[in-house]
Each structure stands twice: as structure tokens, then as C-alpha cells.
Amino acid sequence: MWDLMAGDRVRYVMALGFLLVAAGLLYLIPLVPQAVIDVVLGSNGDQASALSQWIITALGGRERVADDLWLPLILIATIAIAAGGFTYGRQRWSAIASQNTAKRIRDRLQDRIQRLDMRAYDTLDRGDLLQRCTSDIDTTQVFLSTQVVEVGRAVVMLAVAIPVMFLVDWRMAIAAVWLLPVIVGFSFFYFRRVRVLFKLKDEAEGRLTAAVNDNLIGIRVVRAFNRQEHEIERFKPFNDEHRRLDARLYSVFASFWSLSDLLCFMQQASVVMIGAWLLSTERILVGEFYFFFAAVGMYLWPVRMAGRIVAEF
């Protein structure tokens, strides 16, 4: 893949750079309302974190923000627009690079097919070969354009979130990450098992494609000898096998999503329970609690997806 990406590696680097900036900007957004809640609207503004006080100072001070609450709104909108711009750039560069890479794969595969020894065509499965030239390349292109970037996004979102959360409050930070190793480990373990089902389904799809292709190539012979019913019956086992494996795969997916959802909601529930206890004992401020609840929702779901993406790779 590294060889095939020649000429587009800089674009991938740019996409990852844009991703890093976009993730950093997204985490700034919940920090602004946290600062407003704790420093401006709260009764204990002096107890707010140094980061919250710095944000309010940058906006003109506590009194000015209290008189002009539209200032934080303008700041949030500006950050969101900037993050959207960098997200667009990340998607654009990764899409261009992945399309170019897919083209190189198609060119190389076509060259390989044209130079194969003729005896190879007697043993190669035609449907499997067609799938290599079509859907397999499309799968590779999608992986490079979106899924590689999503893995990077999950890593960056987590890498940015952890130091920021510990900077705000170390107790809430521990409550916000303690289930992460379980969630990630569960994803990787689960999709190592799913990988076998992916392979079986893919092979069944190849046999299904071959059956359709053979019928289309010999359609005149089939019609000439009135063998339509025979071809229909011959096709049914391939279709049934593909449907059965596909249904089995999505059944496994369903159990994964339900269990991983449960783990993710348990992680969010931990933040709510610990945060409520710290709020009741006045050890954290309302704005800090808001930030942690928002931050967990931002990084938790991308991290959960990382296990599936690695399995598909």
C-alpha cells in the first residue's frame, strides 16, 4: 500500500494534519460554555479553573461577558466554522489520495491479468477474479478515504481529550476514561472473530458473481436449449448461501453494537454519577461537569469504531 500511495503521501499527511487541528478546535467548543457557567454565571467564579478564567479574560473580562453574552456565542460559532473548514480539507485530501491510489491498483491489476499465463485461466474462478477487479478495489478505496482517517480521528480525539480533562479535574478525568481499555479491548477481540465471517461471506459473494457471469456469457446457449429453469435452480444455492452468511454476519454485528453501546453508556453513567457526587460536595463546578459530559460523548464513539475498522482492514 505504501508503494501504491506514491505521489499522494503528502496529501495523506495534509489530511492527518487537518484532522489534528479540527480535533483540537472541537474540544475548545465545550470549554467556552464551561468558562461562562463557572466564571460569569456561577457564584463561585474565583474558584473556577485557570483555563476558564483565561478564556473569560480573553473575551474582555467577567463584567463585559455578563453584559454581552453574545460574545461567547460568536466565539463558539467561529471555532465551529474553523473546525468545519479543516474537516472539509481533511476529507477532500484523503478522498483525492484514495481515488488516485485505487486507480493505480486497477491499472496494476489489469496489467497483471493481461500478462497471466493462459493456463491460469483454467484454474482461476471467474467470479472471484471479477470481484477482485471491482468490489475489492472499491473496499480498499473506502478504507483509505474514510476508515484510515477515522482511526486517526479516534486516536487524535482521545490524545487531545485526556490531557485537557486532567488539566480541568483529575478525579473526573479518571471517571471519564476508566472503561476505555475494556471498550477498546472488547472491540478488537470481537472483530478478530468477525474476520472469519467476513472471509466466508466474501468467498460466497465470489461464487454468486461467478454463477451470474457464467449465465450471462452462455445466455444464447441456455435459450437455445431451453435451460432457463435449470439455470434458475442452479443459481438458488449460491444465493441462499450468500444470504445465510450475510444474515449471520449482521446478527453478530447486532450483538456487538448492543454490548458496546452498553459499555459506552456505562462510561457516560460513571461521569454523571461521579460528577453528581463531586457537585453535591462542592468539589467541582457546574461548568466543569458540563465539559466532561460533552468531552466523553465526543471521543467515546470514534474510539468504539476503531476496533471494527481495524478488523475490516
Side-chain angles (χ1 to χ4, degrees), residues 235-282:
F235 175 76
K236 285 181 179 179
F238 297 109
N239 196 19
D240 290 341
E241 181 190 28
H242 181 265
R243 186 212 61 82
R244 178 180 60 81
L245 291 171
D246 209 26
R248 184 181 173 191
L249 181 63
Y250 277 97
S251 176
V252 173
F253 277 149
S255 61
F256 167 77
W257 293 127
S258 59
L259 291 172
S260 61
D261 279 350
L262 176 62
L263 290 172
C264 290
F265 285 131
M266 286 175 61
Q267 177 66 84
Q268 290 180 313
S270 300
V271 172
V272 173
M273 289 187 294
I274 300 298
W277 174 68
L278 292 174
L279 276 173
S280 66
T281 56
E282 299 183 350

mmCIF file of all heavy atoms in Angstrom, residues 235-282:
data_model
loop_
_atom_site.group_PDB
_atom_site.id
_atom_site.type_symbol
_atom_site.label_atom_id
_atom_site.label_comp_id
_atom_site.label_asym_id
_atom_site.label_seq_id
_atom_site.Cartn_x
_atom_site.Cartn_y
_atom_site.Cartn_z
ATOM 1 N N PHE A 235 -28.758 -21.408 -9.680
ATOM 2 C CA PHE A 235 -28.396 -20.144 -9.034
ATOM 3 C C PHE A 235 -28.840 -20.091 -7.567
ATOM 4 O O PHE A 235 -28.183 -19.477 -6.737
ATOM 5 C CB PHE A 235 -29.030 -18.987 -9.814
ATOM 6 C CG PHE A 235 -28.836 -17.637 -9.182
ATOM 7 C CD1 PHE A 235 -27.621 -16.971 -9.263
ATOM 8 C CD2 PHE A 235 -29.873 -17.026 -8.488
ATOM 9 C CE1 PHE A 235 -27.446 -15.725 -8.682
ATOM 10 C CE2 PHE A 235 -29.706 -15.786 -7.901
ATOM 11 C CZ PHE A 235 -28.491 -15.135 -8.000
ATOM 12 N N LYS A 236 -29.949 -20.744 -7.252
ATOM 13 C CA LYS A 236 -30.537 -20.617 -5.912
ATOM 14 C C LYS A 236 -29.592 -21.006 -4.768
ATOM 15 O O LYS A 236 -29.527 -20.304 -3.756
ATOM 16 C CB LYS A 236 -31.827 -21.435 -5.838
ATOM 17 C CG LYS A 236 -32.992 -20.791 -6.572
ATOM 18 C CD LYS A 236 -34.256 -21.629 -6.437
ATOM 19 C CE LYS A 236 -35.419 -20.958 -7.155
ATOM 20 N NZ LYS A 236 -36.665 -21.778 -7.065
ATOM 21 N N PRO A 237 -28.832 -22.121 -4.845
ATOM 22 C CA PRO A 237 -27.931 -22.455 -3.729
ATOM 23 C C PRO A 237 -26.874 -21.376 -3.459
ATOM 24 O O PRO A 237 -26.548 -21.110 -2.295
ATOM 25 C CB PRO A 237 -27.288 -23.773 -4.189
ATOM 26 C CG PRO A 237 -28.243 -24.343 -5.172
ATOM 27 C CD PRO A 237 -28.847 -23.181 -5.875
ATOM 28 N N PHE A 238 -26.343 -20.769 -4.521
ATOM 29 C CA PHE A 238 -25.354 -19.702 -4.329
ATOM 30 C C PHE A 238 -25.995 -18.496 -3.641
ATOM 31 O O PHE A 238 -25.399 -17.890 -2.745
ATOM 32 C CB PHE A 238 -24.769 -19.274 -5.681
ATOM 33 C CG PHE A 238 -24.020 -20.353 -6.393
ATOM 34 C CD1 PHE A 238 -24.531 -20.942 -7.536
ATOM 35 C CD2 PHE A 238 -22.792 -20.801 -5.909
ATOM 36 C CE1 PHE A 238 -23.839 -21.946 -8.202
ATOM 37 C CE2 PHE A 238 -22.093 -21.804 -6.560
ATOM 38 C CZ PHE A 238 -22.621 -22.377 -7.712
ATOM 39 N N ASN A 239 -27.199 -18.162 -4.062
ATOM 40 C CA ASN A 239 -27.902 -17.024 -3.469
ATOM 41 C C ASN A 239 -28.267 -17.317 -2.013
ATOM 42 O O ASN A 239 -28.124 -16.449 -1.135
ATOM 43 C CB ASN A 239 -29.160 -16.724 -4.286
ATOM 44 C CG ASN A 239 -29.730 -15.349 -3.995
ATOM 45 O OD1 ASN A 239 -29.038 -14.480 -3.470
ATOM 46 N ND2 ASN A 239 -30.983 -15.149 -4.321
ATOM 47 N N ASP A 240 -28.737 -18.526 -1.733
ATOM 48 C CA ASP A 240 -29.105 -18.902 -0.365
ATOM 49 C C ASP A 240 -27.890 -18.882 0.563
ATOM 50 O O ASP A 240 -27.976 -18.429 1.710
ATOM 51 C CB ASP A 240 -29.743 -20.295 -0.357
ATOM 52 C CG ASP A 240 -31.122 -20.304 -0.995
ATOM 53 O OD1 ASP A 240 -31.728 -19.221 -1.107
ATOM 54 O OD2 ASP A 240 -31.583 -21.394 -1.396
ATOM 55 N N GLU A 241 -26.772 -19.393 0.062
ATOM 56 C CA GLU A 241 -25.556 -19.408 0.875
ATOM 57 C C GLU A 241 -25.106 -17.993 1.207
ATOM 58 O O GLU A 241 -24.754 -17.692 2.358
ATOM 59 C CB GLU A 241 -24.445 -20.151 0.135
ATOM 60 C CG GLU A 241 -23.146 -20.225 0.925
ATOM 61 C CD GLU A 241 -21.985 -20.738 0.106
ATOM 62 O OE1 GLU A 241 -21.990 -20.547 -1.136
ATOM 63 O OE2 GLU A 241 -21.049 -21.306 0.710
ATOM 64 N N HIS A 242 -25.130 -17.118 0.205
ATOM 65 C CA HIS A 242 -24.719 -15.734 0.437
ATOM 66 C C HIS A 242 -25.652 -15.053 1.429
ATOM 67 O O HIS A 242 -25.221 -14.334 2.330
ATOM 68 C CB HIS A 242 -24.703 -14.964 -0.881
ATOM 69 C CG HIS A 242 -24.277 -13.543 -0.744
ATOM 70 N ND1 HIS A 242 -25.181 -12.500 -0.603
ATOM 71 C CD2 HIS A 242 -23.045 -12.963 -0.685
ATOM 72 C CE1 HIS A 242 -24.537 -11.364 -0.492
ATOM 73 N NE2 HIS A 242 -23.237 -11.618 -0.527
ATOM 74 N N ARG A 243 -26.958 -15.265 1.284
ATOM 75 C CA ARG A 243 -27.910 -14.653 2.208
ATOM 76 C C ARG A 243 -27.701 -15.156 3.632
ATOM 77 O O ARG A 243 -27.737 -14.389 4.601
ATOM 78 C CB ARG A 243 -29.341 -14.968 1.763
ATOM 79 C CG ARG A 243 -30.414 -14.245 2.583
ATOM 80 C CD ARG A 243 -31.680 -15.060 2.715
ATOM 81 N NE ARG A 243 -31.453 -16.316 3.391
ATOM 82 C CZ ARG A 243 -31.388 -16.440 4.710
ATOM 83 N NH1 ARG A 243 -31.519 -15.386 5.489
ATOM 84 N NH2 ARG A 243 -31.163 -17.608 5.265
ATOM 85 N N ARG A 244 -27.472 -16.466 3.776
ATOM 86 C CA ARG A 244 -27.286 -17.046 5.106
ATOM 87 C C ARG A 244 -26.057 -16.470 5.799
ATOM 88 O O ARG A 244 -26.108 -16.085 6.976
ATOM 89 C CB ARG A 244 -27.153 -18.574 4.977
ATOM 90 C CG ARG A 244 -26.897 -19.292 6.296
ATOM 91 C CD ARG A 244 -26.790 -20.782 6.084
ATOM 92 N NE ARG A 244 -25.702 -21.133 5.172
ATOM 93 C CZ ARG A 244 -24.420 -21.221 5.548
ATOM 94 N NH1 ARG A 244 -24.069 -20.974 6.804
ATOM 95 N NH2 ARG A 244 -23.493 -21.561 4.670
ATOM 96 N N LEU A 245 -24.933 -16.381 5.083
ATOM 97 C CA LEU A 245 -23.707 -15.851 5.675
ATOM 98 C C LEU A 245 -23.826 -14.357 5.960
ATOM 99 O O LEU A 245 -23.319 -13.863 6.966
ATOM 100 C CB LEU A 245 -22.516 -16.125 4.751
ATOM 101 C CG LEU A 245 -22.109 -17.597 4.638
ATOM 102 C CD1 LEU A 245 -21.084 -17.779 3.537
ATOM 103 C CD2 LEU A 245 -21.562 -18.102 5.977
ATOM 104 N N ASP A 246 -24.516 -13.645 5.067
ATOM 105 C CA ASP A 246 -24.705 -12.217 5.274
ATOM 106 C C ASP A 246 -25.565 -11.963 6.510
ATOM 107 O O ASP A 246 -25.276 -11.091 7.329
ATOM 108 C CB ASP A 246 -25.353 -11.596 4.034
ATOM 109 C CG ASP A 246 -24.965 -10.146 3.842
ATOM 110 O OD1 ASP A 246 -23.875 -9.756 4.311
ATOM 111 O OD2 ASP A 246 -25.746 -9.387 3.235
ATOM 112 N N ALA A 247 -26.649 -12.741 6.643
ATOM 113 C CA ALA A 247 -27.525 -12.602 7.813
ATOM 114 C C ALA A 247 -26.774 -12.945 9.099
ATOM 115 O O ALA A 247 -26.954 -12.291 10.131
ATOM 116 C CB ALA A 247 -28.752 -13.496 7.657
ATOM 117 N N ARG A 248 -25.944 -13.987 9.033
ATOM 118 C CA ARG A 248 -25.165 -14.378 10.210
ATOM 119 C C ARG A 248 -24.194 -13.271 10.605
ATOM 120 O O ARG A 248 -24.026 -12.956 11.798
ATOM 121 C CB ARG A 248 -24.404 -15.668 9.914
ATOM 122 C CG ARG A 248 -23.634 -16.213 11.095
ATOM 123 C CD ARG A 248 -22.894 -17.483 10.700
ATOM 124 N NE ARG A 248 -22.010 -17.938 11.757
ATOM 125 C CZ ARG A 248 -21.101 -18.890 11.612
ATOM 126 N NH1 ARG A 248 -20.992 -19.504 10.436
ATOM 127 N NH2 ARG A 248 -20.321 -19.235 12.611
ATOM 128 N N LEU A 249 -23.572 -12.640 9.605
ATOM 129 C CA LEU A 249 -22.634 -11.560 9.874
ATOM 130 C C LEU A 249 -23.328 -10.381 10.555
ATOM 131 O O LEU A 249 -22.836 -9.831 11.542
ATOM 132 C CB LEU A 249 -21.971 -11.115 8.572
ATOM 133 C CG LEU A 249 -20.929 -10.000 8.663
ATOM 134 C CD1 LEU A 249 -19.744 -10.450 9.508
ATOM 135 C CD2 LEU A 249 -20.460 -9.588 7.275
ATOM 136 N N TYR A 250 -24.498 -9.996 10.037
ATOM 137 C CA TYR A 250 -25.205 -8.853 10.622
ATOM 138 C C TYR A 250 -25.799 -9.198 11.981
ATOM 139 O O TYR A 250 -25.982 -8.310 12.825
ATOM 140 C CB TYR A 250 -26.284 -8.366 9.654
ATOM 141 C CG TYR A 250 -25.713 -7.447 8.619
ATOM 142 C CD1 TYR A 250 -25.358 -7.914 7.359
ATOM 143 C CD2 TYR A 250 -25.493 -6.098 8.906
ATOM 144 C CE1 TYR A 250 -24.800 -7.075 6.408
ATOM 145 C CE2 TYR A 250 -24.942 -5.253 7.962
ATOM 146 C CZ TYR A 250 -24.606 -5.743 6.713
ATOM 147 O OH TYR A 250 -24.046 -4.907 5.774
ATOM 148 N N SER A 251 -26.083 -10.470 12.220
ATOM 149 C CA SER A 251 -26.515 -10.881 13.550
ATOM 150 C C SER A 251 -25.389 -10.690 14.567
ATOM 151 O O SER A 251 -25.607 -10.229 15.692
ATOM 152 C CB SER A 251 -26.959 -12.347 13.524
ATOM 153 O OG SER A 251 -27.292 -12.794 14.816
ATOM 154 N N VAL A 252 -24.170 -11.039 14.144
ATOM 155 C CA VAL A 252 -23.004 -10.828 15.016
ATOM 156 C C VAL A 252 -22.777 -9.335 15.240
ATOM 157 O O VAL A 252 -22.469 -8.891 16.348
ATOM 158 C CB VAL A 252 -21.757 -11.492 14.397
ATOM 159 C CG1 VAL A 252 -20.508 -11.135 15.186
ATOM 160 C CG2 VAL A 252 -21.932 -12.998 14.360
ATOM 161 N N PHE A 253 -22.924 -8.542 14.171
ATOM 162 C CA PHE A 253 -22.804 -7.090 14.320
ATOM 163 C C PHE A 253 -23.812 -6.555 15.329
ATOM 164 O O PHE A 253 -23.494 -5.686 16.150
ATOM 165 C CB PHE A 253 -23.038 -6.402 12.975
ATOM 166 C CG PHE A 253 -21.829 -6.362 12.084
ATOM 167 C CD1 PHE A 253 -21.966 -6.392 10.710
ATOM 168 C CD2 PHE A 253 -20.564 -6.291 12.616
ATOM 169 C CE1 PHE A 253 -20.857 -6.357 9.890
ATOM 170 C CE2 PHE A 253 -19.446 -6.266 11.814
ATOM 171 C CZ PHE A 253 -19.587 -6.300 10.438
ATOM 172 N N ALA A 254 -25.043 -7.065 15.260
ATOM 173 C CA ALA A 254 -26.086 -6.572 16.161
ATOM 174 C C ALA A 254 -25.716 -6.806 17.620
ATOM 175 O O ALA A 254 -25.905 -5.930 18.479
ATOM 176 C CB ALA A 254 -27.413 -7.260 15.835
ATOM 177 N N SER A 255 -25.181 -7.991 17.920
ATOM 178 C CA SER A 255 -24.777 -8.262 19.304
ATOM 179 C C SER A 255 -23.604 -7.391 19.713
ATOM 180 O O SER A 255 -23.514 -6.939 20.860
ATOM 181 C CB SER A 255 -24.429 -9.748 19.463
ATOM 182 O OG SER A 255 -23.346 -10.108 18.619
ATOM 183 N N PHE A 256 -22.691 -7.114 18.749
ATOM 184 C CA PHE A 256 -21.559 -6.228 19.086
ATOM 185 C C PHE A 256 -22.041 -4.834 19.428
ATOM 186 O O PHE A 256 -21.646 -4.248 20.432
ATOM 187 C CB PHE A 256 -20.572 -6.155 17.927
ATOM 188 C CG PHE A 256 -19.579 -5.030 18.084
ATOM 189 C CD1 PHE A 256 -18.516 -5.144 18.959
ATOM 190 C CD2 PHE A 256 -19.727 -3.844 17.380
ATOM 191 C CE1 PHE A 256 -17.608 -4.106 19.132
ATOM 192 C CE2 PHE A 256 -18.831 -2.802 17.534
ATOM 193 C CZ PHE A 256 -17.772 -2.938 18.408
ATOM 194 N N TRP A 257 -22.917 -4.265 18.555
ATOM 195 C CA TRP A 257 -23.355 -2.888 18.802
ATOM 196 C C TRP A 257 -24.112 -2.780 20.118
ATOM 197 O O TRP A 257 -23.955 -1.798 20.843
ATOM 198 C CB TRP A 257 -24.236 -2.406 17.641
ATOM 199 C CG TRP A 257 -23.503 -2.251 16.352
ATOM 200 C CD1 TRP A 257 -23.838 -2.802 15.150
ATOM 201 C CD2 TRP A 257 -22.301 -1.508 16.105
ATOM 202 N NE1 TRP A 257 -22.924 -2.452 14.182
ATOM 203 C CE2 TRP A 257 -21.973 -1.664 14.745
ATOM 204 C CE3 TRP A 257 -21.471 -0.736 16.907
ATOM 205 C CZ2 TRP A 257 -20.862 -1.076 14.163
ATOM 206 C CZ3 TRP A 257 -20.350 -0.151 16.333
ATOM 207 C CH2 TRP A 257 -20.054 -0.312 14.991
ATOM 208 N N SER A 258 -24.932 -3.777 20.431
ATOM 209 C CA SER A 258 -25.695 -3.695 21.677
ATOM 210 C C SER A 258 -24.774 -3.745 22.896
ATOM 211 O O SER A 258 -24.936 -2.963 23.845
ATOM 212 C CB SER A 258 -26.722 -4.832 21.742
ATOM 213 O OG SER A 258 -26.087 -6.087 21.680
ATOM 214 N N LEU A 259 -23.789 -4.655 22.881
ATOM 215 C CA LEU A 259 -22.881 -4.770 24.024
ATOM 216 C C LEU A 259 -21.955 -3.562 24.130
ATOM 217 O O LEU A 259 -21.686 -3.066 25.227
ATOM 218 C CB LEU A 259 -22.068 -6.060 23.910
ATOM 219 C CG LEU A 259 -22.857 -7.362 24.095
ATOM 220 C CD1 LEU A 259 -21.992 -8.564 23.771
ATOM 221 C CD2 LEU A 259 -23.399 -7.456 25.514
ATOM 222 N N SER A 260 -21.452 -3.086 22.994
ATOM 223 C CA SER A 260 -20.570 -1.925 23.041
ATOM 224 C C SER A 260 -21.344 -0.665 23.430
ATOM 225 O O SER A 260 -20.813 0.212 24.123
ATOM 226 C CB SER A 260 -19.858 -1.722 21.704
ATOM 227 O OG SER A 260 -20.782 -1.489 20.670
ATOM 228 N N ASP A 261 -22.607 -0.570 22.999
ATOM 229 C CA ASP A 261 -23.445 0.546 23.455
ATOM 230 C C ASP A 261 -23.587 0.528 24.969
ATOM 231 O O ASP A 261 -23.522 1.567 25.632
ATOM 232 C CB ASP A 261 -24.828 0.465 22.811
ATOM 233 C CG ASP A 261 -24.844 1.026 21.397
ATOM 234 O OD1 ASP A 261 -23.843 1.641 20.996
ATOM 235 O OD2 ASP A 261 -25.846 0.828 20.692
ATOM 236 N N LEU A 262 -23.799 -0.671 25.516
ATOM 237 C CA LEU A 262 -23.926 -0.797 26.961
ATOM 238 C C LEU A 262 -22.661 -0.309 27.673
ATOM 239 O O LEU A 262 -22.729 0.442 28.656
ATOM 240 C CB LEU A 262 -24.209 -2.259 27.335
ATOM 241 C CG LEU A 262 -24.285 -2.567 28.828
ATOM 242 C CD1 LEU A 262 -25.431 -1.810 29.479
ATOM 243 C CD2 LEU A 262 -24.462 -4.081 29.051
ATOM 244 N N LEU A 263 -21.494 -0.712 27.167
ATOM 245 C CA LEU A 263 -20.235 -0.277 27.773
ATOM 246 C C LEU A 263 -20.071 1.243 27.680
ATOM 247 O O LEU A 263 -19.641 1.892 28.641
ATOM 248 C CB LEU A 263 -19.060 -0.980 27.097
ATOM 249 C CG LEU A 263 -18.907 -2.475 27.377
ATOM 250 C CD1 LEU A 263 -17.820 -3.067 26.486
ATOM 251 C CD2 LEU A 263 -18.569 -2.718 28.844
ATOM 252 N N CYS A 264 -20.415 1.795 26.524
ATOM 253 C CA CYS A 264 -20.273 3.244 26.349
ATOM 254 C C CYS A 264 -21.221 4.012 27.267
ATOM 255 O O CYS A 264 -20.843 5.035 27.859
ATOM 256 C CB CYS A 264 -20.536 3.626 24.888
ATOM 257 S SG CYS A 264 -19.256 3.072 23.746
ATOM 258 N N PHE A 265 -22.454 3.518 27.403
ATOM 259 C CA PHE A 265 -23.396 4.194 28.296
ATOM 260 C C PHE A 265 -22.966 4.051 29.759
ATOM 261 O O PHE A 265 -23.206 4.943 30.579
ATOM 262 C CB PHE A 265 -24.802 3.633 28.088
ATOM 263 C CG PHE A 265 -25.447 4.113 26.823
ATOM 264 C CD1 PHE A 265 -26.042 3.216 25.948
ATOM 265 C CD2 PHE A 265 -25.460 5.461 26.494
ATOM 266 C CE1 PHE A 265 -26.631 3.651 24.776
ATOM 267 C CE2 PHE A 265 -26.047 5.906 25.321
ATOM 268 C CZ PHE A 265 -26.638 5.006 24.462
ATOM 269 N N MET A 266 -22.334 2.916 30.088
ATOM 270 C CA MET A 266 -21.793 2.762 31.447
ATOM 271 C C MET A 266 -20.696 3.787 31.709
ATOM 272 O O MET A 266 -20.586 4.336 32.809
ATOM 273 C CB MET A 266 -21.252 1.344 31.631
ATOM 274 C CG MET A 266 -22.316 0.280 31.785
ATOM 275 S SD MET A 266 -21.608 -1.394 31.856
ATOM 276 C CE MET A 266 -20.564 -1.262 33.322
ATOM 277 N N GLN A 267 -19.860 4.043 30.674
ATOM 278 C CA GLN A 267 -18.822 5.055 30.816
ATOM 279 C C GLN A 267 -19.433 6.440 31.044
ATOM 280 O O GLN A 267 -18.996 7.197 31.912
ATOM 281 C CB GLN A 267 -17.936 5.066 29.571
ATOM 282 C CG GLN A 267 -16.847 6.128 29.566
ATOM 283 C CD GLN A 267 -15.803 5.894 30.644
ATOM 284 O OE1 GLN A 267 -14.872 5.145 30.455
ATOM 285 N NE2 GLN A 267 -15.975 6.528 31.800
ATOM 286 N N GLN A 268 -20.470 6.764 30.269
ATOM 287 C CA GLN A 268 -21.132 8.053 30.452
ATOM 288 C C GLN A 268 -21.839 8.125 31.808
ATOM 289 O O GLN A 268 -21.842 9.178 32.454
ATOM 290 C CB GLN A 268 -22.126 8.288 29.317
ATOM 291 C CG GLN A 268 -21.455 8.549 27.974
ATOM 292 C CD GLN A 268 -22.454 8.789 26.864
ATOM 293 O OE1 GLN A 268 -23.421 8.042 26.723
ATOM 294 N NE2 GLN A 268 -22.229 9.820 26.073
ATOM 295 N N ALA A 269 -22.437 7.000 32.227
ATOM 296 C CA ALA A 269 -23.104 6.977 33.534
ATOM 297 C C ALA A 269 -22.105 7.206 34.661
ATOM 298 O O ALA A 269 -22.428 7.856 35.673
ATOM 299 C CB ALA A 269 -23.827 5.648 33.720
ATOM 300 N N SER A 270 -20.874 6.700 34.507
ATOM 301 C CA SER A 270 -19.844 6.928 35.521
ATOM 302 C C SER A 270 -19.546 8.412 35.671
ATOM 303 O O SER A 270 -19.397 8.920 36.788
ATOM 304 C CB SER A 270 -18.563 6.178 35.146
ATOM 305 O OG SER A 270 -18.790 4.798 35.051
ATOM 306 N N VAL A 271 -19.480 9.093 34.532
ATOM 307 C CA VAL A 271 -19.226 10.540 34.574
ATOM 308 C C VAL A 271 -20.371 11.256 35.287
ATOM 309 O O VAL A 271 -20.148 12.158 36.108
ATOM 310 C CB VAL A 271 -19.046 11.089 33.139
ATOM 311 C CG1 VAL A 271 -18.970 12.616 33.153
ATOM 312 C CG2 VAL A 271 -17.799 10.506 32.510
ATOM 313 N N VAL A 272 -21.610 10.857 34.999
ATOM 314 C CA VAL A 272 -22.768 11.501 35.631
ATOM 315 C C VAL A 272 -22.766 11.250 37.135
ATOM 316 O O VAL A 272 -22.961 12.180 37.935
ATOM 317 C CB VAL A 272 -24.076 10.984 34.991
ATOM 318 C CG1 VAL A 272 -25.289 11.511 35.754
ATOM 319 C CG2 VAL A 272 -24.152 11.406 33.531
ATOM 320 N N MET A 273 -22.540 10.008 37.540
ATOM 321 C CA MET A 273 -22.614 9.674 38.970
ATOM 322 C C MET A 273 -21.478 10.330 39.765
ATOM 323 O O MET A 273 -21.710 10.942 40.809
ATOM 324 C CB MET A 273 -22.586 8.162 39.152
ATOM 325 C CG MET A 273 -23.861 7.472 38.689
ATOM 326 S SD MET A 273 -23.915 5.703 39.082
ATOM 327 C CE MET A 273 -22.592 5.084 38.043
ATOM 328 N N ILE A 274 -20.241 10.198 39.274
ATOM 329 C CA ILE A 274 -19.112 10.820 39.969
ATOM 330 C C ILE A 274 -19.250 12.336 39.952
ATOM 331 O O ILE A 274 -18.984 13.025 40.956
ATOM 332 C CB ILE A 274 -17.773 10.390 39.342
ATOM 333 C CG1 ILE A 274 -17.603 8.869 39.419
ATOM 334 C CG2 ILE A 274 -16.611 11.093 40.014
ATOM 335 C CD1 ILE A 274 -17.576 8.328 40.832
ATOM 336 N N GLY A 275 -19.690 12.878 38.809
ATOM 337 C CA GLY A 275 -19.875 14.321 38.719
ATOM 338 C C GLY A 275 -20.934 14.829 39.668
ATOM 339 O O GLY A 275 -20.766 15.883 40.299
ATOM 340 N N ALA A 276 -22.038 14.072 39.785
ATOM 341 C CA ALA A 276 -23.101 14.483 40.714
ATOM 342 C C ALA A 276 -22.604 14.479 42.156
ATOM 343 O O ALA A 276 -22.931 15.375 42.954
ATOM 344 C CB ALA A 276 -24.303 13.554 40.552
ATOM 345 N N TRP A 277 -21.816 13.457 42.496
ATOM 346 C CA TRP A 277 -21.270 13.389 43.862
ATOM 347 C C TRP A 277 -20.314 14.549 44.132
ATOM 348 O O TRP A 277 -20.370 15.186 45.194
ATOM 349 C CB TRP A 277 -20.562 12.057 44.061
ATOM 350 C CG TRP A 277 -19.857 11.960 45.386
ATOM 351 C CD1 TRP A 277 -20.435 11.900 46.624
ATOM 352 C CD2 TRP A 277 -18.446 11.942 45.597
ATOM 353 N NE1 TRP A 277 -19.478 11.839 47.602
ATOM 354 C CE2 TRP A 277 -18.232 11.871 46.994
ATOM 355 C CE3 TRP A 277 -17.343 11.979 44.752
ATOM 356 C CZ2 TRP A 277 -16.964 11.832 47.548
ATOM 357 C CZ3 TRP A 277 -16.079 11.924 45.306
ATOM 358 C CH2 TRP A 277 -15.896 11.863 46.683
ATOM 359 N N LEU A 278 -19.436 14.843 43.175
ATOM 360 C CA LEU A 278 -18.498 15.952 43.362
ATOM 361 C C LEU A 278 -19.219 17.291 43.391
ATOM 362 O O LEU A 278 -18.816 18.207 44.123
ATOM 363 C CB LEU A 278 -17.451 15.936 42.246
ATOM 364 C CG LEU A 278 -16.461 14.765 42.260
ATOM 365 C CD1 LEU A 278 -15.572 14.795 41.025
ATOM 366 C CD2 LEU A 278 -15.608 14.801 43.525
ATOM 367 N N LEU A 279 -20.297 17.413 42.597
ATOM 368 C CA LEU A 279 -21.083 18.651 42.645
ATOM 369 C C LEU A 279 -21.764 18.815 43.989
ATOM 370 O O LEU A 279 -21.807 19.920 44.549
ATOM 371 C CB LEU A 279 -22.140 18.632 41.535
ATOM 372 C CG LEU A 279 -21.715 19.092 40.143
ATOM 373 C CD1 LEU A 279 -22.836 18.841 39.143
ATOM 374 C CD2 LEU A 279 -21.330 20.567 40.146
ATOM 375 N N SER A 280 -22.308 17.730 44.529
ATOM 376 C CA SER A 280 -23.022 17.809 45.811
ATOM 377 C C SER A 280 -22.094 18.163 46.957
ATOM 378 O O SER A 280 -22.522 18.755 47.959
ATOM 379 C CB SER A 280 -23.722 16.479 46.102
ATOM 380 O OG SER A 280 -22.772 15.438 46.308
ATOM 381 N N THR A 281 -20.823 17.795 46.829
ATOM 382 C CA THR A 281 -19.839 18.117 47.868
ATOM 383 C C THR A 281 -19.033 19.375 47.526
ATOM 384 O O THR A 281 -18.058 19.684 48.213
ATOM 385 C CB THR A 281 -18.883 16.936 48.069
ATOM 386 O OG1 THR A 281 -18.265 16.599 46.816
ATOM 387 C CG2 THR A 281 -19.634 15.718 48.604
ATOM 388 N N GLU A 282 -19.462 20.051 46.436
ATOM 389 C CA GLU A 282 -18.850 21.318 46.005
ATOM 390 C C GLU A 282 -17.352 21.182 45.710
ATOM 391 O O GLU A 282 -16.556 22.084 45.988
ATOM 392 C CB GLU A 282 -19.086 22.418 47.046
ATOM 393 C CG GLU A 282 -20.561 22.729 47.271
ATOM 394 C CD GLU A 282 -20.775 23.865 48.235
ATOM 395 O OE1 GLU A 282 -19.784 24.287 48.878
ATOM 396 O OE2 GLU A 282 -21.912 24.335 48.374
#
